[in-house]
mmCIF file of all heavy atoms in Angstrom:
data_model
loop_
_atom_site.group_PDB
_atom_site.id
_atom_site.type_symbol
_atom_site.label_atom_id
_atom_site.label_comp_id
_atom_site.label_asym_id
_atom_site.label_seq_id
_atom_site.Cartn_x
_atom_site.Cartn_y
_atom_site.Cartn_z
ATOM 1 N N GLY A 1633 5.795 -14.438 13.771
ATOM 2 C CA GLY A 1633 5.275 -13.440 14.702
ATOM 3 C C GLY A 1633 4.588 -14.059 15.894
ATOM 4 O O GLY A 1633 4.608 -15.281 16.106
ATOM 5 N N LYS A 1634 3.964 -13.189 16.670
ATOM 6 C CA LYS A 1634 3.289 -13.638 17.880
ATOM 7 C C LYS A 1634 2.141 -12.689 18.198
ATOM 8 O O LYS A 1634 2.137 -11.518 17.814
ATOM 9 C CB LYS A 1634 4.265 -13.672 19.054
ATOM 10 C CG LYS A 1634 4.898 -12.310 19.372
ATOM 11 C CD LYS A 1634 5.917 -12.396 20.496
ATOM 12 C CE LYS A 1634 6.549 -11.024 20.787
ATOM 13 N NZ LYS A 1634 7.542 -11.094 21.882
ATOM 14 N N ILE A 1635 1.154 -13.231 18.907
ATOM 15 C CA ILE A 1635 0.053 -12.444 19.456
ATOM 16 C C ILE A 1635 0.104 -12.629 20.966
ATOM 17 O O ILE A 1635 0.217 -13.755 21.458
ATOM 18 C CB ILE A 1635 -1.308 -12.908 18.895
ATOM 19 C CG1 ILE A 1635 -1.351 -12.722 17.370
ATOM 20 C CG2 ILE A 1635 -2.457 -12.137 19.550
ATOM 21 C CD1 ILE A 1635 -2.602 -13.291 16.714
ATOM 22 N N PHE A 1636 0.048 -11.518 21.672
ATOM 23 C CA PHE A 1636 0.205 -11.606 23.126
ATOM 24 C C PHE A 1636 -0.689 -10.589 23.823
ATOM 25 O O PHE A 1636 -1.213 -9.657 23.191
ATOM 26 C CB PHE A 1636 1.663 -11.385 23.516
ATOM 27 C CG PHE A 1636 2.248 -10.082 23.007
ATOM 28 C CD1 PHE A 1636 2.262 -8.943 23.806
ATOM 29 C CD2 PHE A 1636 2.785 -10.000 21.718
ATOM 30 C CE1 PHE A 1636 2.793 -7.746 23.342
ATOM 31 C CE2 PHE A 1636 3.317 -8.801 21.248
ATOM 32 C CZ PHE A 1636 3.313 -7.674 22.057
ATOM 33 N N GLN A 1637 -0.862 -10.775 25.125
ATOM 34 C CA GLN A 1637 -1.630 -9.834 25.938
ATOM 35 C C GLN A 1637 -0.745 -8.636 26.263
ATOM 36 O O GLN A 1637 0.386 -8.799 26.735
ATOM 37 C CB GLN A 1637 -2.118 -10.509 27.215
ATOM 38 C CG GLN A 1637 -3.137 -11.617 26.962
ATOM 39 C CD GLN A 1637 -3.570 -12.321 28.238
ATOM 40 O OE1 GLN A 1637 -2.973 -12.129 29.297
ATOM 41 N NE2 GLN A 1637 -4.607 -13.132 28.129
ATOM 42 N N THR A 1638 -1.256 -7.439 26.024
ATOM 43 C CA THR A 1638 -0.452 -6.232 26.195
ATOM 44 C C THR A 1638 0.015 -6.031 27.632
ATOM 45 O O THR A 1638 1.182 -5.709 27.882
ATOM 46 C CB THR A 1638 -1.251 -5.004 25.738
ATOM 47 O OG1 THR A 1638 -1.617 -5.163 24.358
ATOM 48 C CG2 THR A 1638 -0.436 -3.722 25.889
ATOM 49 N N ASP A 1639 -0.873 -6.248 28.582
ATOM 50 C CA ASP A 1639 -0.533 -5.927 29.973
ATOM 51 C C ASP A 1639 0.453 -6.911 30.594
ATOM 52 O O ASP A 1639 1.370 -6.526 31.323
ATOM 53 C CB ASP A 1639 -1.805 -5.815 30.821
ATOM 54 C CG ASP A 1639 -2.670 -7.069 30.760
ATOM 55 O OD1 ASP A 1639 -2.363 -7.963 29.942
ATOM 56 O OD2 ASP A 1639 -3.652 -7.150 31.517
ATOM 57 N N THR A 1640 0.289 -8.209 30.306
ATOM 58 C CA THR A 1640 1.149 -9.222 30.933
ATOM 59 C C THR A 1640 2.226 -9.768 29.990
ATOM 60 O O THR A 1640 3.119 -10.479 30.429
ATOM 61 C CB THR A 1640 0.303 -10.411 31.418
ATOM 62 O OG1 THR A 1640 -0.309 -11.046 30.272
ATOM 63 C CG2 THR A 1640 -0.782 -9.943 32.387
ATOM 64 N N GLU A 1641 2.094 -9.445 28.679
ATOM 65 C CA GLU A 1641 2.976 -9.977 27.635
ATOM 66 C C GLU A 1641 2.883 -11.502 27.533
ATOM 67 O O GLU A 1641 3.784 -12.161 26.992
ATOM 68 C CB GLU A 1641 4.422 -9.545 27.847
ATOM 69 C CG GLU A 1641 4.622 -8.035 27.762
ATOM 70 C CD GLU A 1641 6.075 -7.631 27.755
ATOM 71 O OE1 GLU A 1641 6.945 -8.522 27.872
ATOM 72 O OE2 GLU A 1641 6.352 -6.428 27.618
ATOM 73 N N LYS A 1642 1.799 -12.070 28.060
ATOM 74 C CA LYS A 1642 1.587 -13.520 27.948
ATOM 75 C C LYS A 1642 1.347 -13.891 26.493
ATOM 76 O O LYS A 1642 0.508 -13.320 25.811
ATOM 77 C CB LYS A 1642 0.401 -13.955 28.796
ATOM 78 C CG LYS A 1642 0.108 -15.462 28.683
ATOM 79 C CD LYS A 1642 -1.140 -15.864 29.445
ATOM 80 C CE LYS A 1642 -1.442 -17.346 29.234
ATOM 81 N NZ LYS A 1642 -2.686 -17.773 29.928
ATOM 82 N N LEU A 1643 2.111 -14.890 26.015
ATOM 83 C CA LEU A 1643 1.995 -15.336 24.632
ATOM 84 C C LEU A 1643 0.693 -16.103 24.442
ATOM 85 O O LEU A 1643 0.378 -17.019 25.205
ATOM 86 C CB LEU A 1643 3.193 -16.218 24.281
ATOM 87 C CG LEU A 1643 3.364 -16.609 22.816
ATOM 88 C CD1 LEU A 1643 3.552 -15.380 21.943
ATOM 89 C CD2 LEU A 1643 4.554 -17.557 22.661
ATOM 90 N N VAL A 1644 -0.059 -15.742 23.411
ATOM 91 C CA VAL A 1644 -1.348 -16.381 23.120
ATOM 92 C C VAL A 1644 -1.262 -17.242 21.864
ATOM 93 O O VAL A 1644 -1.731 -18.373 21.833
ATOM 94 C CB VAL A 1644 -2.457 -15.317 22.956
ATOM 95 C CG1 VAL A 1644 -3.796 -15.991 22.661
ATOM 96 C CG2 VAL A 1644 -2.561 -14.434 24.198
ATOM 97 N N TYR A 1645 -0.649 -16.691 20.797
ATOM 98 C CA TYR A 1645 -0.518 -17.433 19.535
ATOM 99 C C TYR A 1645 0.872 -17.203 18.954
ATOM 100 O O TYR A 1645 1.495 -16.161 19.177
ATOM 101 C CB TYR A 1645 -1.539 -16.951 18.487
ATOM 102 C CG TYR A 1645 -2.989 -17.141 18.838
ATOM 103 C CD1 TYR A 1645 -3.757 -16.067 19.281
ATOM 104 C CD2 TYR A 1645 -3.602 -18.393 18.702
ATOM 105 C CE1 TYR A 1645 -5.097 -16.228 19.582
ATOM 106 C CE2 TYR A 1645 -4.943 -18.561 19.008
ATOM 107 C CZ TYR A 1645 -5.683 -17.475 19.451
ATOM 108 O OH TYR A 1645 -7.009 -17.636 19.754
ATOM 109 N N GLU A 1646 1.340 -18.174 18.165
ATOM 110 C CA GLU A 1646 2.535 -18.028 17.351
ATOM 111 C C GLU A 1646 2.141 -18.038 15.883
ATOM 112 O O GLU A 1646 1.239 -18.788 15.484
ATOM 113 C CB GLU A 1646 3.540 -19.152 17.632
ATOM 114 C CG GLU A 1646 4.230 -19.037 18.985
ATOM 115 C CD GLU A 1646 5.255 -20.142 19.209
ATOM 116 O OE1 GLU A 1646 5.192 -21.159 18.484
ATOM 117 O OE2 GLU A 1646 6.105 -19.994 20.105
ATOM 118 N N ILE A 1647 2.819 -17.225 15.085
ATOM 119 C CA ILE A 1647 2.514 -17.082 13.663
ATOM 120 C C ILE A 1647 3.744 -17.468 12.860
ATOM 121 O O ILE A 1647 4.872 -17.049 13.175
ATOM 122 C CB ILE A 1647 2.130 -15.618 13.345
ATOM 123 C CG1 ILE A 1647 0.899 -15.197 14.148
ATOM 124 C CG2 ILE A 1647 1.894 -15.421 11.847
ATOM 125 C CD1 ILE A 1647 0.665 -13.704 14.168
ATOM 126 N N SER A 1648 3.568 -18.268 11.803
ATOM 127 C CA SER A 1648 4.702 -18.638 10.956
ATOM 128 C C SER A 1648 4.217 -19.032 9.569
ATOM 129 O O SER A 1648 3.087 -19.503 9.396
ATOM 130 C CB SER A 1648 5.489 -19.805 11.576
ATOM 131 O OG SER A 1648 4.674 -20.960 11.677
ATOM 132 N N GLY A 1649 5.093 -18.819 8.589
ATOM 133 C CA GLY A 1649 4.745 -19.196 7.216
ATOM 134 C C GLY A 1649 5.352 -18.250 6.211
ATOM 135 O O GLY A 1649 6.372 -17.601 6.471
ATOM 136 N N HIS A 1650 4.742 -18.177 5.040
ATOM 137 C CA HIS A 1650 5.191 -17.311 3.953
ATOM 138 C C HIS A 1650 3.997 -16.494 3.467
ATOM 139 O O HIS A 1650 2.946 -17.061 3.156
ATOM 140 C CB HIS A 1650 5.756 -18.140 2.801
ATOM 141 C CG HIS A 1650 6.989 -18.910 3.177
ATOM 142 N ND1 HIS A 1650 6.923 -20.114 3.870
ATOM 143 C CD2 HIS A 1650 8.320 -18.645 2.987
ATOM 144 C CE1 HIS A 1650 8.155 -20.559 4.078
ATOM 145 N NE2 HIS A 1650 9.013 -19.691 3.560
ATOM 146 N N TRP A 1651 4.187 -15.178 3.385
ATOM 147 C CA TRP A 1651 3.050 -14.319 3.062
ATOM 148 C C TRP A 1651 2.522 -14.543 1.649
ATOM 149 O O TRP A 1651 1.383 -14.191 1.343
ATOM 150 C CB TRP A 1651 3.404 -12.848 3.273
ATOM 151 C CG TRP A 1651 4.518 -12.301 2.430
ATOM 152 C CD1 TRP A 1651 5.806 -12.145 2.808
ATOM 153 C CD2 TRP A 1651 4.442 -11.843 1.080
ATOM 154 N NE1 TRP A 1651 6.548 -11.615 1.781
ATOM 155 C CE2 TRP A 1651 5.734 -11.412 0.700
ATOM 156 C CE3 TRP A 1651 3.412 -11.743 0.145
ATOM 157 C CZ2 TRP A 1651 6.012 -10.908 -0.566
ATOM 158 C CZ3 TRP A 1651 3.690 -11.242 -1.118
ATOM 159 C CH2 TRP A 1651 4.970 -10.826 -1.462
ATOM 160 N N ASP A 1652 3.327 -15.133 0.758
ATOM 161 C CA ASP A 1652 2.865 -15.406 -0.605
ATOM 162 C C ASP A 1652 2.366 -16.842 -0.768
ATOM 163 O O ASP A 1652 2.000 -17.249 -1.876
ATOM 164 C CB ASP A 1652 3.988 -15.131 -1.604
ATOM 165 C CG ASP A 1652 5.185 -16.052 -1.426
ATOM 166 O OD1 ASP A 1652 5.439 -16.484 -0.280
ATOM 167 O OD2 ASP A 1652 5.857 -16.356 -2.434
ATOM 168 N N LYS A 1653 2.321 -17.595 0.345
ATOM 169 C CA LYS A 1653 1.828 -18.976 0.293
ATOM 170 C C LYS A 1653 0.778 -19.164 1.386
ATOM 171 O O LYS A 1653 -0.370 -18.769 1.211
ATOM 172 C CB LYS A 1653 2.988 -19.959 0.434
ATOM 173 C CG LYS A 1653 3.986 -19.878 -0.719
ATOM 174 C CD LYS A 1653 5.176 -20.802 -0.510
ATOM 175 C CE LYS A 1653 6.170 -20.659 -1.650
ATOM 176 N NZ LYS A 1653 7.382 -21.486 -1.443
ATOM 177 N N THR A 1654 1.168 -19.775 2.490
ATOM 178 C CA THR A 1654 0.244 -19.914 3.613
ATOM 179 C C THR A 1654 0.927 -19.493 4.905
ATOM 180 O O THR A 1654 2.150 -19.606 5.048
ATOM 181 C CB THR A 1654 -0.269 -21.367 3.781
ATOM 182 O OG1 THR A 1654 0.842 -22.237 3.993
ATOM 183 C CG2 THR A 1654 -1.076 -21.806 2.572
ATOM 184 N N VAL A 1655 0.117 -19.004 5.835
ATOM 185 C CA VAL A 1655 0.595 -18.610 7.158
ATOM 186 C C VAL A 1655 -0.222 -19.371 8.191
ATOM 187 O O VAL A 1655 -1.451 -19.424 8.108
ATOM 188 C CB VAL A 1655 0.446 -17.094 7.385
ATOM 189 C CG1 VAL A 1655 0.914 -16.723 8.783
ATOM 190 C CG2 VAL A 1655 1.241 -16.324 6.329
ATOM 191 N N SER A 1656 0.471 -19.988 9.159
ATOM 192 C CA SER A 1656 -0.190 -20.796 10.184
ATOM 193 C C SER A 1656 -0.258 -20.056 11.513
ATOM 194 O O SER A 1656 0.583 -19.208 11.816
ATOM 195 C CB SER A 1656 0.551 -22.121 10.370
ATOM 196 O OG SER A 1656 0.538 -22.883 9.179
ATOM 197 N N LEU A 1657 -1.248 -20.455 12.306
ATOM 198 C CA LEU A 1657 -1.448 -19.889 13.637
ATOM 199 C C LEU A 1657 -1.475 -21.032 14.647
ATOM 200 O O LEU A 1657 -2.249 -21.970 14.513
ATOM 201 C CB LEU A 1657 -2.773 -19.122 13.683
ATOM 202 C CG LEU A 1657 -3.103 -18.408 14.996
ATOM 203 C CD1 LEU A 1657 -2.267 -17.135 15.118
ATOM 204 C CD2 LEU A 1657 -4.588 -18.065 15.056
ATOM 205 N N LYS A 1658 -0.616 -20.944 15.672
ATOM 206 C CA LYS A 1658 -0.567 -21.978 16.702
ATOM 207 C C LYS A 1658 -1.091 -21.422 18.020
ATOM 208 O O LYS A 1658 -0.593 -20.410 18.519
ATOM 209 C CB LYS A 1658 0.862 -22.484 16.897
ATOM 210 C CG LYS A 1658 0.991 -23.552 17.975
ATOM 211 C CD LYS A 1658 2.427 -24.013 18.147
ATOM 212 C CE LYS A 1658 2.555 -25.059 19.246
ATOM 213 N NZ LYS A 1658 3.953 -25.500 19.426
ATOM 214 N N ASP A 1659 -2.106 -22.082 18.574
ATOM 215 C CA ASP A 1659 -2.651 -21.724 19.883
ATOM 216 C C ASP A 1659 -1.703 -22.252 20.958
ATOM 217 O O ASP A 1659 -1.476 -23.461 21.057
ATOM 218 C CB ASP A 1659 -4.049 -22.325 20.036
ATOM 219 C CG ASP A 1659 -4.752 -21.851 21.293
ATOM 220 O OD1 ASP A 1659 -4.133 -21.855 22.378
ATOM 221 O OD2 ASP A 1659 -5.933 -21.479 21.209
ATOM 222 N N ILE A 1660 -1.132 -21.361 21.754
ATOM 223 C CA ILE A 1660 -0.141 -21.761 22.755
ATOM 224 C C ILE A 1660 -0.754 -22.664 23.823
ATOM 225 O O ILE A 1660 -0.123 -23.631 24.273
ATOM 226 C CB ILE A 1660 0.501 -20.520 23.407
ATOM 227 C CG1 ILE A 1660 1.264 -19.704 22.348
ATOM 228 C CG2 ILE A 1660 1.447 -20.924 24.531
ATOM 229 C CD1 ILE A 1660 2.357 -20.467 21.639
ATOM 230 N N ASP A 1661 -1.971 -22.391 24.234
ATOM 231 C CA ASP A 1661 -2.598 -23.180 25.295
ATOM 232 C C ASP A 1661 -2.968 -24.591 24.849
ATOM 233 O O ASP A 1661 -2.685 -25.572 25.547
ATOM 234 C CB ASP A 1661 -3.853 -22.460 25.812
ATOM 235 C CG ASP A 1661 -3.512 -21.200 26.578
ATOM 236 O OD1 ASP A 1661 -2.389 -21.122 27.117
ATOM 237 O OD2 ASP A 1661 -4.359 -20.288 26.638
ATOM 238 N N SER A 1662 -3.580 -24.704 23.676
ATOM 239 C CA SER A 1662 -4.069 -26.011 23.219
ATOM 240 C C SER A 1662 -3.089 -26.744 22.315
ATOM 241 O O SER A 1662 -3.189 -27.959 22.127
ATOM 242 C CB SER A 1662 -5.404 -25.840 22.478
ATOM 243 O OG SER A 1662 -5.206 -25.142 21.253
ATOM 244 N N GLY A 1663 -2.155 -25.998 21.706
ATOM 245 C CA GLY A 1663 -1.236 -26.610 20.759
ATOM 246 C C GLY A 1663 -1.825 -26.769 19.370
ATOM 247 O O GLY A 1663 -1.155 -27.240 18.452
ATOM 248 N N GLU A 1664 -3.065 -26.360 19.188
ATOM 249 C CA GLU A 1664 -3.736 -26.501 17.889
ATOM 250 C C GLU A 1664 -3.108 -25.571 16.861
ATOM 251 O O GLU A 1664 -2.819 -24.407 17.142
ATOM 252 C CB GLU A 1664 -5.226 -26.178 18.028
ATOM 253 C CG GLU A 1664 -5.996 -26.253 16.709
ATOM 254 C CD GLU A 1664 -7.427 -25.770 16.844
ATOM 255 O OE1 GLU A 1664 -7.828 -25.400 17.969
ATOM 256 O OE2 GLU A 1664 -8.122 -25.741 15.816
ATOM 257 N N VAL A 1665 -2.911 -26.092 15.648
ATOM 258 C CA VAL A 1665 -2.352 -25.305 14.544
ATOM 259 C C VAL A 1665 -3.366 -25.280 13.406
ATOM 260 O O VAL A 1665 -3.905 -26.322 13.021
ATOM 261 C CB VAL A 1665 -1.020 -25.901 14.038
ATOM 262 C CG1 VAL A 1665 -0.482 -25.086 12.865
ATOM 263 C CG2 VAL A 1665 0.013 -25.949 15.165
ATOM 264 N N ARG A 1666 -3.624 -24.099 12.889
ATOM 265 C CA ARG A 1666 -4.549 -23.965 11.757
ATOM 266 C C ARG A 1666 -4.007 -22.937 10.766
ATOM 267 O O ARG A 1666 -3.102 -22.163 11.088
ATOM 268 C CB ARG A 1666 -5.938 -23.536 12.228
ATOM 269 C CG ARG A 1666 -6.015 -22.145 12.843
ATOM 270 C CD ARG A 1666 -7.452 -21.802 13.214
ATOM 271 N NE ARG A 1666 -7.584 -20.506 13.852
ATOM 272 C CZ ARG A 1666 -7.728 -19.352 13.211
ATOM 273 N NH1 ARG A 1666 -7.730 -19.343 11.872
ATOM 274 N NH2 ARG A 1666 -7.854 -18.215 13.870
#
Side-chain angles (χ1 to χ4, degrees):
K1634 60 183 179 180
I1635 298 174
F1636 56 95
Q1637 294 178 349
T1638 301
D1639 56 352
T1640 64
E1641 297 189 357
K1642 178 184 176 182
L1643 189 61
V1644 180
Y1645 297 102
E1646 288 182 343
I1647 300 165
S1648 62
H1650 296 80
W1651 62 262
D1652 64 330
K1653 296 176 182 177
T1654 59
V1655 178
S1656 298
L1657 183 76
K1658 179 181 179 181
D1659 187 313
I1660 297 301
D1661 291 335
S1662 68
E1664 178 187 359
V1665 178
R1666 65 177 178 86

